[in-house]
């Protein structure tokens, strides 16, 4: 029990001599959340928590994180089990609909997805508007949002459950097609259409790497690895991009627009964009003679904006369980693929040095999901600027699940308050007198 005065589910605030009783709620794992939804009405007082480091925006039944213990569960199932025993599409179903599907239910879901992988041919015209070299994240943002133009019935805020599910199926199905189209267009190759005899991840790999003139040799190790990587990215409670999806969705914006907003938020180098930055950082260290101590010192220098990309986390103050799984698989995958990537050795050296450095120990900075993932993406053959698109592909079911949950909770439009620190009222000054 926290040390605040908590009795009968209430905490008592004492503000300038005025006592205010605040209810609190307890989560499934015993977390305590002060419910301040009536605080301003009772007292005119609001809370201030820049970056929402201590603020819960919602209740949710989808994902549980314990940052101190390094625990991650989806709908009660440990990430270690899901990664080992499920396909990505099964985990997508679990996140969105709340239960692991039966064989029959999964086959129906899988068939629906396969039947919706095609995108309207007019979508290809959008690609003609991009200058060569446009970042894939900017492209996928536009393309996802453009789907509402091809399916205008998704704009109806009072759409039925069936219509919402059809939109969910369309988005999951078309995301692999759009992502592979972006890659093909970026290298000037003709796009490869979906082959719906293939499972979700194999279909994506085939559309991405198959060349028109020759069959693509599907490597089961690559399929298994990408399934695992996508599962590890599938959801992560109220992170920056997911909170953005919920925020945009709370205005009754359609699912395509809400997800497109999440993609934009993910792009930032402090968030999903970190996986690309990690490889750029490791390459820079390699080119600089592998001097990891120099970069550890740069990361510790407050006058140097350099940060150790792929290190640190808002919630995990222990090893990110996802990073642990990826690292464990990294060696095996590269060996199975016959790849010797020198940046892997640099990454391990950097990690070992940082984990034994007091600065990182004091701040509980550990490798996060982005630290090793890029090494595997690169081993599979994806270019650097596609890494965050792959993160978005993995996070898509989580975003959808969170958006769907928010809709079912009938939550009000999100509209935070502020503490004003600007000028007091003052008389207007005409330009002639300024
Ligand atoms: C993801 O939220 C999620 O769940 C996100 C995610 C998901 O699945 O959705 O897990 C995915 O975004 C992972 C994070 C990817 N980003 C990076 O790897 C970028 C590098 N990491 C940092 O920028 C940082 O650690 C954050 C952004 C991840 C977390 O930042 P916080 O929680 O706001 O912490 P902070 O910036 O206040 O840092 C606390 C201290 C500071 O030092 P002091 O001011 O106390 O002296 O730790 C230092 C920071 O300077 N610090 C780092 C550091 N991360 C934090 N110092 C050097 N290198 C770093 N990477």
């Amino acid at each position: 029990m926290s040390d605040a005065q908590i009795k009968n589910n209430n905490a008592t605030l004492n503000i300038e001599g005025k006592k205010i009783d605040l209810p609190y709620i307890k989560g499934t794992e015993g977390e305590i959340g002060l419910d301040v939804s009536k605080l301003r009405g009772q007292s005119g007082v609001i809370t201030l928590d820049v970056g929402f480091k201590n603020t819960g925006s919602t209740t949710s039944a989808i994902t549980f994180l314990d940052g101190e213990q390094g625990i991650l569960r989806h709908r009660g199932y440990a990430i270690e089990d899901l990664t080992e025993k499920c396909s990505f599409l099964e985990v997508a179903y679990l996140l969105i609909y709340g239960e692991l599907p039966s064989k029959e239910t999964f086959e129906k879901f899988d068939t629906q997805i396969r039947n919706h992988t095609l995108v309207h041919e007019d979508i290809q015209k959008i690609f003609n508007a991009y200058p060569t070299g446009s970042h894939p994240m900017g492209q996928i943002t536009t393309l996802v949002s453009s789907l509402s133009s091809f399916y205008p019935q998704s704009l109806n805020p009072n759409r039925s459950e069936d219509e919402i599910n059809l939109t969910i199926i369309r988005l999951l199905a078309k995301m692999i097609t759009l992502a592979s189209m972006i890659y093909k267009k970026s290298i000037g190759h003709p796009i490869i259409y979906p082959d719906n005899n293939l499972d979700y991840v194999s279909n994506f790999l085939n559309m991405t790497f198959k060349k028109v003139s020759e069959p693509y040799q599907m490597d089961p190790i690559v399929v298994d690895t990408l399934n695992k990587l996508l599962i590890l990215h599938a959801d992560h409670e109220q992170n920056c991009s997911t909170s953005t999806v919920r925020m945009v969705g709370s205005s009754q914006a359609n699912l395509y627009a809400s997800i497109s907003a999440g993609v934009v938020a993910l792009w930032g180098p402090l968030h999903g964009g970190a996986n690309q930055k990690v490889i750029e950082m490791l390459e820079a260290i390699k080119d600089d003679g592998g001097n990891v101590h120099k970069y550890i010192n740069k990361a510790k220098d407050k006058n140097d904006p350099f940060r150790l990309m792929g290190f640190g986390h808002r919630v995990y103050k222990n090893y990110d369980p996802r990073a642990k799984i990826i690292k464990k698989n990294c060696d095996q995958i590269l060996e199975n693929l016959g790849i010797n990537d020198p940046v892997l050795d640099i990454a391990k050296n950097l990690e070992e040095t940082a984990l034994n450095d007091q600065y990182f120990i004091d701040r509980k900075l550990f490798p996060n999901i982005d630290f090793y993932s890029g090494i595997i993406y690169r081993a599979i053959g994806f270019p650097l600027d596609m890494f965050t698109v792959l993160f978005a592909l993995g996070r898509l079911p989580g975003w959808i699940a969170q958006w769907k949950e928010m809709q079912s909770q009938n939550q009000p439009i999100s509209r935070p308050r502020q503490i004003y620190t600007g000028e007091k009222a003052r008389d207007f000054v005409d330009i002639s007198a300024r």
Side-chain angles (χ1 to χ4, degrees):
M1 192 66 76
S2 77
D3 56 7
Q5 290 170 300
I6 291 183
K7 49 188 186 298
N8 309 326
N9 263 10
N10 275 325
T12 304
L13 271 183
N14 185 334
I15 298 178
E16 296 185 340
K18 185 179 177 193
K19 286 190 185 304
I20 300 154
D21 278 342
L22 283 178
Y24 78 85
I25 70 167
K26 261 193 173 184
T28 310
E29 299 292 336
E31 327 94 282
I32 290 180
L34 278 183
D35 181 345
V36 295
S37 51
K38 294 187 173 50
L39 176 62
R40 190 171 186 280
Q42 282 174 294
S43 65
V45 170
I46 65 167
T47 59
L48 180 63
D49 184 18
V50 177
F52 306 116
K53 295 194 173 190
N54 308 283
T55 296
S57 57
T58 184
T59 57
S60 178
I62 299 169
T63 291
F64 173 70
L65 300 188
D66 181 323
E68 282 63 35
Q69 303 299 318
I71 292 171
L72 170 56
R73 297 191 202 117
H74 294 314
R75 303 284 189 183
Y77 296 102
I79 190 63
E80 294 78 5
D81 286 340
L82 295 173
T83 315
E84 274 312 306
K85 299 166 185 166
C86 288
S87 69
F88 171 62
L89 215 50
E90 267 181 283
V91 173
Y93 186 94
L94 169 68
L95 287 168
I96 296 168
Y97 299 105
E99 295 296 336
L100 283 169
S102 66
K103 191 169 180 303
E104 185 192 355
T105 305
F106 179 71
E107 282 170 2
K108 181 168 173 268
F109 179 65
D110 184 24
T111 303
Q112 284 178 307
I113 296 279
R114 293 176 193 231
N115 292 340
H116 285 276
T117 48
L118 269 179
V119 295
H120 195 292
E121 284 293 303
D122 284 356
I123 276 198
Q124 294 206 43
K125 294 176 185 167
I126 300 174
F127 281 96
N128 301 333
Y130 295 127
T132 309
S134 298
H135 197 287
M137 282 298 279
Q139 295 184 49
I140 195 82
T141 303
T142 323
L143 293 167
V144 166
S145 184
S146 78
L147 291 173
S148 59
S149 307
F150 295 95
Y151 304 102
Q153 64 275 27
S154 64
L155 300 176
N156 170 13
N158 306 311
R159 56 220 168 241
S160 69
E161 198 61 28
D162 285 348
E163 284 172 323
I164 289 178
N165 283 325
L166 177 56
T167 301
I168 289 171
I169 292 288
R170 280 177 170 147
L171 186 47
L172 283 169
K174 298 177 194 310
M175 195 71 160
I176 54 174
T177 310
L178 294 174
S180 60
M181 285 172 79
I182 289 168
Y183 171 65
K184 283 297 191 192
K185 294 282 187 183
S186 74
I187 56 174
H189 286 195
I191 64 168
I192 298 292
Y193 282 82
D195 174 353
N196 295 331
N197 297 312
L198 297 172
D199 64 67
Y200 191 76
V201 169
S202 302
N203 209 352
F204 172 57
L205 287 166
N206 190 62
M207 287 191 279
T208 304
F209 294 119
K210 183 185 181 307
K211 293 185 174 58
V212 172
S213 52
E214 56 197 63
Y216 171 63
Q217 196 56 47
M218 196 69 68
D219 181 337
I221 294 166
V222 171
V223 176
D224 178 58
T225 300
L226 193 51
N227 262 294
K228 285 184 166 61
L229 278 173
L230 293 175
I231 290 170
L232 289 168
H233 286 83
D235 190 56
H236 215 237
E237 59 141 87
Q238 305 310 316
N239 57 82
C240 177
S241 54
T242 300
S243 300
T244 303
V245 169
R246 278 186 170 251
M247 173 79 83
V248 171
S250 74
S251 71
Q252 293 194 353
N254 64 83
L255 179 62
Y256 299 124
S258 305
I259 298 298
S260 176
V263 174
V264 175
L266 185 75
W267 195 358
L270 294 188
H271 191 14
N275 57 15
Q276 175 175 342
K277 295 298 175 193
V278 167
I279 296 295
E280 290 170 358
M281 172 186 74
L282 294 173
E283 287 286 358
I285 295 173
K286 177 168 72 76
D287 296 345
D288 194 7
N291 181 350
V292 296
H293 292 281
K294 173 180 171 184
Y295 288 84
I296 291 278
N297 291 332
K298 279 172 63 71
K300 291 158 61 176
D301 179 356
K302 290 302 170 200
N303 299 315
D304 188 329
F306 175 79
R307 281 200 159 187
L308 216 50
M309 300 315 278
F311 249 80
H313 198 275
R314 173 61 55 78
V315 174
Y316 289 125
K317 301 310 171 190
N318 199 323
Y319 213 105
D320 184 334
R322 304 167 297 174
K324 210 178 274 183
I325 295 169
I326 293 177
K327 182 185 176 186
K328 192 178 74 171
N329 283 279
C330 226
D331 280 319
Q332 190 58 56
I333 290 152
L334 265 64
E335 187 189 326
N336 292 347
L337 295 175
I339 291 170
N340 172 30
D341 189 342
V343 298
L344 177 58
D345 297 332
I346 291 176
K348 288 180 176 176
N349 187 4
L350 192 63
E351 176 192 348
E352 189 186 345
T353 309
L355 293 184
N356 290 294
D357 183 289
Q358 208 54 46
Y359 172 95
F360 291 86
I361 293 168
D362 293 346
R363 291 164 181 79
K364 297 182 179 176
L365 301 176
F366 292 87
N368 60 52
I369 188 162
D370 295 306
F371 192 65
Y372 285 103
S373 55
I375 293 170
I376 299 180
Y377 288 145
R378 184 156 80 163
I380 293 174
F382 292 104
L384 201 51
D385 63 3
M386 281 291 288
F387 288 6
T388 310
V389 171
L390 294 168
F391 194 141
L393 192 56
R395 185 54 50 89
L396 180 60
W399 285 332
I400 292 171
Q402 298 273 352
W403 181 89
K404 187 169 181 286
E405 181 179 67
M406 182 210 49
Q407 303 289 330
S408 67
Q409 290 169 319
N410 292 314
Q411 292 193 343
I413 185 169
S414 294
R415 202 274 186 220
R417 303 304 299 260
Q418 64 164 27
I419 297 294
Y420 175 69
T421 55
E423 297 284 345
K424 282 188 173 293
R426 50 182 170 163
D427 296 334
F428 182 77
V429 179
D430 188 80
I431 192 165
S432 59
R434 287 179 210 155

